[in-house]
Amino acid sequence: MKDGCVKGGSKGVVHLIRWRRTEKAREIQTGSTPPKALQIKASGAACREPRGFKFEFCSLFPSAQRTVGLFIAVGVAYFFATWLGVALRPQVALCIYCPAAGVAVGALILFGPNARMPIATSVAITTVASGIMFGKSPWEAAAFGFVNTGQALLTTWLVERWLGDDLKLKAVPQVLGFLVASAIGVALGATGAAIAKTLAEPIAFHYAWQVCFGACLLGTLTIAPLLIGLGELPRELPPRRELFEGTIAIVIFTLLSVLLILLPQEPWDSALPVAFVLPVLLWLAVRCRPVFGAAAASVLAVTIFWSTASHTGYFGGASIPLADRILAAQTYATAGTLLALILSALFAERRSREALLEAGNEQLRTQKETFRRLLGSLPAPIYTTDKAGRITYCNQAAVDLWGTRPELGKDRWSDLWRLRYSDGTPVPLDDRPTQIVLNEGRAVRGREALLERPNGSLVPIMPCPAPQFDEQGRIIGVVNMQIDLTERKQAEAVVKESESRLADGLAAGHVMAFDWNAVTGLTQRSDNATDVLGFNQDELTGSPRNIFLSQVHPDDRTSLKQCIRALRREMPSYALTFRYVRPDGRLVWLEEAGRGEFDATGKLLRVKGLTRDITDRKQAENALAERNAQLALAGQAGRVGSYAYDVNKGVMQISEGYAAIHGLPPGTTETTLCEWRSRVHPDDLRRVEAFRDQVFANSRKESNIEYRIVRSDGEMRWVERRSSVSYDGNARPTRVVGVSIDVTERKRAEERQRILVAELDHRVKNTLATVSSVVSQTGIGNRSTTDFVAALEGRLRSMAATHELLGARCWHGVSMKDLVQRELAPYAARNNCEVSGAEVVLRAEASQAMAMVLHELATNAAKYGALSTKEGRVSIRWDQRLNGRGHPPPLVLEWRESDGPPVIAPSNPGYGTSTIRDLIPYEFGGTVDLAFAPEGIRCRVELPEIWLGNGRELVSDDPNGGASLRPVIR
């Protein structure tokens, strides 16, 4: 700053950077914002309030760029301000105007406390650099850099200390405070500058201090307010009118200032500034904001010091000593600057107060109009009277109620309508509520009456008059609101009718209402409670709840009490079904739903609810449950289950019998069509779905199909599905209902029957072939007819006995030895058969299969094998042998043929060969090794131990009493 006294300055340039407001600035805005009704241009007020900004290093790059930008901008502005001060000095080493001081103070105030470090650094460095550039020694330049920076920081600190960080110079106290703070800071700074100046040059300390003080004070007063005002412009741009007028006024002010300074000195020249310059200043102050006044002050100071420095005009006369001219210039500039700032602040403050006053008046007018509109829009009739009873105001609702429009200020309220009591008798004038208020000065409430209109119609009302008093407490009138009770009376009639219908409905539905007071323990119940509970009305009215609880069934009483005790504010409701024993001993079922009410502390106050007699429903439910149980048992016993599903939803409702058939877990009530498809046998799924699609396409209502399913345990079952289909109006299927019948046993019986018929046919053919062979062989061995007939008859009887053995035992245990002997009896001749083995009894299922295998082996031997020749022999041995795997020993039967014709393996095995090889493994888990050796057939059969009966009479595990035979390989 002091360097500007020697080296000059430049124009102030404000570099606007996006700073964030400080917390203090936000507090100022919040605390000082006027009420909403008093805000002027509220849409922009929030943006114009504070000027404090927050300088913070939020992130490395952006903060560094802002800091450098601020540093450079302040440095450039400060340098040009210093250059301007040097340019306006009248002689070397003597600076009379220091605008750089205003740049430093204005920047510090404008950008706030958080930007002090970069601004102070820029001021110090620029002061030192400009001082050296303009001819100062380094130590002197450093001293001035320290002094200038300290003066700016001190002045800024005093301003923020006294005036806050929201300095706007829009009030006279702010201008005066800024002047005092600037004077103190400049005085201390001038002291330091004078000391440095006297040490560097031969100059008087007093003179140096005086010049520096005036120069820096003027620079601060002219430039700092200008920068502060310019900083506000981006947040609140002036209107075009103000901008145009301010610019024209500043131009005129500049021209007049130059003209007056250049005029020759005459006795009348002292009156010219007042006559020409002061009106322009008043124009700026009255019409424009303070920034234009600050600009005018800066123009005036520059013009005056230009005159002094250039020795031109009023302040440049050579006849006047330089010291006197400098003092005069500084005095005039200071006076003009203070005049401009004070006038601008004074009129700005006045404009603000006028705006607040206008806003207040507008608010009062708005409130008055709003109040009248509010009264006019209220549905309740309202009117006011004076002390004499003349109506002074009434709203439209009052006019509609009275059926006539009064003449305000003339008609009396008592002349417009009459009042009647509820029974229709007239109300005397002195007993009318409005007249009571006028006479006694007290409000009247709660009195209902009938208002009689001029046309004679009656309207039920409730007048609510209240007195109006003046400041001395005297009655000046009445304000009355007449509440129209027509709708309420109609509603009461509707409620009464509804209560009557509700009571009838409760009685018809066997429902009673109750209200239990938890504090007193008393219970109120509806009138029909006597029919349900069996008590008379006197016993129920106001009875304690304990009487009711004592009649609750002992097994349900605890549950009901727990429901009541569990009521909380967060869980205020309960619902319970319980039994109740009437005084006459009859047991009834009740369904109760209640809701609790609580006080602020959560204490239960009362319980309200409904209790319904559901005895008939319970009896019907029990009967239905019994029938459902019977139906479920019947379905399980008969292996029948029901199902139903919506075609579009794909969810099936199933019965317990259905779940049992399909192997679903007990208790399953629902399944899906996808799950059903997964249970259908893969070989039947396409056929079943095609059948269903055909039924839907033909709109058939009933269908029947049989298919296989695979249960979850892997068992395959046969089911018969009988369905009934419902269709909509467009013949689209909507719902399917049907039954599923387990027909596995029937299918197995049919399969057994088919196999037995085929086996019978095969055995008949084999028997005929065997008879033919026996006849042939018998004819070869017997020469006489008598011998031939006898031998033939014996062999035929043996075959019949073998077949009779299988049928006569009714599928019970058969001795292995008897079975072998009976099968070989028709073919045994001389010593062609060797039979040996332990005493083993086969179970019925295994006996049949083993008989079939032996029959085929014997038949084959008789046709083609060892028994077809005289020399052939058959050896049959059986025993139980260990298999080396830790299981019970199986039965092993070995069939060996020898000395027969050469054996040729068949290229296409027939029915007999397939029966020998596949029947035992397929049905009983055994093994068969059949070999067509050239020397004779070899057959080894292993039958698991489970199919042996150990000599006792055994019964098949099959409930149908027979083996489960499947088709054999042919």
Side-chain angles (χ1 to χ4, degrees):
M1 178 181 65
K2 300 304 178 299
D3 185 62
C5 296
V6 181
K7 298 302 180 182
S10 71
K11 296 181 180 179
V13 179
V14 178
H15 186 71
L16 296 178
I17 305 177
R18 294 180 297 174
W19 312 100
R20 290 195 292 170
R21 297 179 179 178
T22 60
E23 295 296 332
K24 186 175 181 180
R26 284 193 288 266
E27 293 172 1
I28 291 173
Q29 179 181 2
T30 304
S32 62
T33 303
K36 182 176 181 180
L38 302 182
Q39 293 180 4
I40 308 302
K41 298 179 181 179
S43 61
C47 299
R48 300 192 299 267
E49 279 299 320
R51 190 173 51 254
F53 296 92
K54 184 174 182 181
F55 180 84
E56 59 181 11
F57 297 91
C58 298
S59 59
L60 183 58
F61 270 136
S63 296
Q65 292 176 358
R66 289 195 294 267
T67 303
V68 173
L70 180 61
F71 178 86
I72 295 174
V74 173
V76 172
Y78 192 87
F79 175 80
F80 281 106
T82 303
W83 174 83
L84 179 62
V86 172
L88 295 177
R89 61 185 178 179
Q91 65 182 29
V92 179
L94 186 62
C95 181
I96 61 175
Y97 180 51
C98 185
V103 172
V105 174
L108 287 172
I109 294 176
L110 180 62
F111 293 104
N114 293 288
R116 286 179 182 173
M117 181 60 68
I119 294 176
T121 305
S122 179
V123 169
I125 294 176
T126 307
T127 301
V128 175
S130 61
I132 296 174
M133 183 182 300
F134 293 126
K136 283 187 176 294
S137 61
W139 75 267
E140 185 180 0
F144 272 92
F146 174 76
V147 171
N148 291 353
T149 304
Q151 173 194 318
L153 292 173
L154 176 61
T155 302
T156 304
W157 180 80
L158 290 175
V159 169
E160 292 181 353
R161 180 79 174 178
W162 295 342
L163 305 177
D165 59 357
D166 188 27
L167 182 64
K168 294 183 180 180
L169 299 178
K170 292 185 178 180
V172 175
Q174 288 186 335
V175 174
L176 297 179
F178 176 71
L179 174 62
V180 175
S182 300
I184 294 175
V186 169
L188 295 178
T191 302
I195 294 175
K197 196 67 177 175
T198 54
L199 293 177
E201 300 177 8
I203 188 173
F205 174 83
H206 175 70
Y207 179 71
W209 183 90
Q210 176 185 343
V211 173
C212 291
F213 176 80
C216 294
L217 182 61
L218 275 172
T220 303
L221 293 179
T222 55
I223 301 301
L226 179 61
L227 293 180
I228 295 173
L230 291 175
E232 294 179 1
L233 291 182
R235 293 189 294 274
E236 185 183 1
L237 291 176
R240 291 185 177 181
R241 187 272 313 163
E242 182 180 351
L243 187 62
F244 179 76
E245 288 188 16
T247 304
I248 295 299
I250 291 175
V251 172
I252 295 174
F253 182 82
T254 303
L255 295 176
L256 288 176
S257 299
V258 174
L259 178 63
L260 291 177
I261 290 174
L262 294 178
L263 287 176
Q265 297 184 8
E266 297 295 339
W268 42 265
D269 62 356
S270 60
L272 292 179
V274 177
F276 293 99
V277 177
L278 183 59
V280 179
L281 280 178
L282 287 175
W283 181 14
L284 285 172
V286 172
R287 301 286 293 176
C288 303
R289 60 191 64 191
V291 65
F292 291 96
S298 301
V299 170
L300 178 63
V302 171
T303 304
I304 291 175
F305 291 121
W306 167 78
S307 174
T308 304
S310 61
H311 305 286
T312 303
Y314 184 82
F315 298 100
S319 60
I320 302 174
L322 179 61
D324 294 339
R325 286 191 287 121
I326 292 174
L327 181 60
Q330 291 179 339
T331 302
Y332 271 89
T334 302
T337 299
L338 290 177
L339 179 62
L341 294 178
I342 291 176
L343 285 176
S344 298
L346 181 64
F347 283 99
E349 189 174 7
R350 179 178 178 179
R351 284 195 299 272
S352 177
R353 291 179 178 177
E354 288 178 351
L356 291 176
L357 180 61
E358 179 62 25
N361 293 335
E362 181 65 23
Q363 181 188 16
L364 290 177
R365 289 192 295 270
T366 303
Q367 289 179 347
K368 182 177 179 181
E369 183 64 25
T370 302
F371 181 72
R372 294 185 68 87
R373 287 199 303 268
L374 177 63
L375 291 180
S377 62
L378 288 176
I382 298 176
Y383 70 92
T384 59
T385 70
D386 57 13
K387 185 177 181 181
R390 290 184 292 269
I391 295 178
T392 57
Y393 169 80
C394 66
N395 60 2
Q396 184 61 37
V399 175
D400 296 339
L401 176 66
W402 303 335
T404 182
R405 183 177 295 276
E407 184 176 352
L408 300 181
K410 181 179 179 181
D411 292 340
R412 291 174 53 86
W413 66 269
S414 57
D415 298 336
L416 297 177
W417 66 85
R418 296 179 182 179
L419 279 185
R420 295 181 179 275
Y421 293 112
S422 299
D423 58 1
T425 58
V427 179
L429 178 61
D430 292 339
D431 196 29
R432 298 182 183 180
T434 302
Q435 192 63 37
I436 293 175
V437 174
L438 289 174
N439 295 338
E440 303 178 9
R442 63 180 179 88
V444 179
R445 297 287 187 271
R447 292 181 57 178
E448 296 185 8
L450 295 175
L451 183 144
E452 183 179 357
R453 293 172 173 171
N455 61 5
S457 59
L458 299 177
V459 180
I461 66 169
M462 179 184 290
C464 301
Q468 291 181 304
F469 301 97
D470 58 11
E471 296 179 353
Q472 289 74 31
R474 294 173 297 188
I475 297 178
I476 60 174
V478 175
V479 56
N480 190 1
M481 179 176 67
Q482 295 175 323
I483 302 175
D484 189 348
L485 302 180
T486 303
E487 294 183 358
R488 196 186 79 176
K489 293 295 184 181
Q490 294 174 351
E492 289 177 352
V494 172
V495 170
K496 186 175 181 180
E497 178 65 22
S498 299
E499 290 178 350
S500 176
R501 290 198 300 267
L502 177 61
D504 295 340
L506 292 176
H510 300 284
V511 179
M512 58 183 176
F514 70 90
D515 183 352
W516 174 58
N517 191 318
V519 179
T520 62
L522 299 180
T523 303
Q524 298 291 335
R525 297 187 180 273
S526 56
D527 296 339
N528 64 325
T530 57
D531 300 332
V532 177
L533 302 181
F535 290 100
N536 57 47
Q537 190 62 35
D538 295 336
E539 292 175 328
L540 290 175
T541 302
S543 63
R545 188 170 176 83
N546 291 337
I547 296 179
F548 175 79
L549 289 175
S550 63
Q551 300 298 123
V552 176
H553 194 280
D555 295 341
D556 299 336
R557 192 177 302 155
T558 303
S559 300
L560 180 58
K561 292 181 178 179
Q562 289 177 349
C563 288
I564 301 298
R565 292 171 184 155
L567 291 177
R568 299 289 185 273
R569 298 180 66 175
E570 59 274 9
M571 191 173 59
S573 304
Y574 74 92
L576 183 66
T577 300
F578 55 91
R579 289 163 292 180
Y580 179 84
V581 181
R582 291 164 49 99
D584 57 7
R586 186 162 62 93
L587 180 69
V588 295
W589 279 91
L590 300 180
E591 182 181 60
E592 184 170 290
R595 184 178 182 86
E597 297 179 2
F598 305 86
D599 60 11
T601 62
K603 180 181 177 181
L604 180 63
L605 298 179
R606 64 195 322 112
V607 178
K608 296 180 179 180
L610 298 174
T611 304
R612 175 182 295 177
D613 184 356
I614 59 170
T615 304
D616 294 340
R617 191 185 78 185
K618 273 293 182 179
Q619 292 174 352
E621 289 176 354
N622 293 336
L624 179 61
E626 291 177 358
R627 291 189 181 92
N628 289 337
Q630 294 170 359
L631 181 61
L633 291 175
Q636 292 178 1
R639 295 186 176 273
V640 178
S642 60
Y643 65 92
Y645 66 90
D646 292 334
V647 176
N648 296 326
K649 294 182 179 179
V651 178
M652 301 177 63
Q653 292 78 38
I654 61 175
S655 66
E656 294 182 5
Y658 186 97
I661 293 173
H662 287 254
L664 300 179
T668 302
T669 59
E670 281 190 355
T671 185
T672 64
L673 289 177
C674 293
E675 294 174 350
W676 167 80
R677 291 189 184 94
S678 66
R679 291 191 294 269
V680 177
H681 196 282
D683 296 341
D684 297 345
L685 179 59
R686 181 175 298 179
R687 176 176 60 87
V688 173
E689 291 187 337
F691 177 79
R692 181 200 60 188
D693 296 340
Q694 187 66 30
V695 170
F696 290 168
N698 297 333
S699 299
R700 291 171 53 187
K701 293 186 177 181
E702 294 183 357
S703 62
N704 186 10
I705 189 174
E706 294 180 357
Y707 57 90
R708 291 168 293 175
I709 63 171
V710 181
R711 293 160 46 104
S712 57
D713 56 4
E715 182 183 0
M716 187 184 72
R717 308 289 293 182
W718 276 91
V719 295
E720 178 184 0
R721 189 180 71 183
R722 298 181 181 179
S723 304
S724 175
V725 187
S726 301
Y727 299 88
D728 60 10
N730 297 323
R732 288 192 296 264
T734 58
R735 188 168 177 81
V736 178
V737 179
V739 295
S740 185
I741 307 172
D742 188 345
V743 295
T744 304
E745 299 305 325
R746 191 193 74 190
K747 283 291 184 179
R748 289 178 177 176
E750 292 175 355
E751 183 68 12
R752 284 196 300 270
Q753 183 178 4
R754 187 185 64 81
I755 293 174
L756 290 176
V757 170
E759 179 64 20
L760 177 61
D761 179 68
H762 184 67
R763 286 186 175 222
V764 169
K765 293 178 181 180
N766 287 343
T767 301
L768 293 176
T770 302
V771 169
S772 177
S773 176
V774 169
V775 170
S776 298
Q777 299 235 359
T778 302
I780 295 173
N782 296 281
R783 298 178 180 178
S784 63
T785 302
T786 304
D787 295 338
F788 169 77
V789 173
L792 179 60
E793 183 179 0
R795 286 182 173 84
L796 292 177
R797 287 179 179 177
S798 176
M799 292 177 61
T802 302
H803 184 39
E804 183 180 347
L805 178 64
L806 293 173
R809 294 183 177 268
C810 298
W811 307 99
H812 296 319
V814 176
S815 170
M816 185 67 187
K817 184 177 181 180
D818 293 342
L819 187 63
V820 172
Q821 290 178 347
R822 290 302 179 99
E823 287 295 335
L824 292 179
Y827 315 108
R830 297 186 297 275
N831 295 322
N832 62 346
C833 296
E834 181 183 355
V835 179
S836 65
E839 187 64 30
V840 176
V841 177
L842 301 180
R843 295 177 64 176
E845 300 90 334
S847 299
Q848 184 184 20
M850 188 64 73
M852 292 174 64
V853 171
L854 292 174
H855 176 74
E856 295 301 330
L857 288 171
T859 302
N860 187 72
K863 289 180 179 181
Y864 316 108
L867 296 181
S868 65
T869 64
K870 296 180 180 180
E871 295 80 10
R873 295 178 59 83
V874 175
S875 174
I876 304 175
R877 302 176 184 271
W878 66 88
D879 196 2
Q880 286 185 269
R881 302 178 184 177
L882 295 176
N883 54 12
R885 290 176 289 183
H887 299 297
L891 173 66
V892 179
L893 180 143
E894 293 183 352
W895 175 287
R896 290 179 177 272
E897 296 184 19
S898 61
D899 301 332
V903 177
I904 301 175
S907 59
N908 186 17
Y911 176 80
T913 303
S914 299
T915 301
I916 296 171
R917 285 181 172 173
D918 299 332
L919 183 57
I920 297 298
Y922 188 75
E923 290 291 341
F924 305 104
T927 61
V928 174
D929 183 12
L930 177 63
F932 292 92
E935 62 276 10
I937 291 179
R938 304 284 189 270
C939 183
R940 187 176 186 274
V941 179
E942 286 191 11
L943 184 66
E945 188 271 342
I946 190 174
W947 302 105
L948 305 182
N950 296 326
R952 296 174 297 176
E953 182 177 87
L954 300 177
V955 181
S956 171
D957 294 332
D958 194 323
N960 293 326
S964 178
L965 299 180
R966 296 177 176 85
V968 296
I969 301 175
R970 294 183 180 276

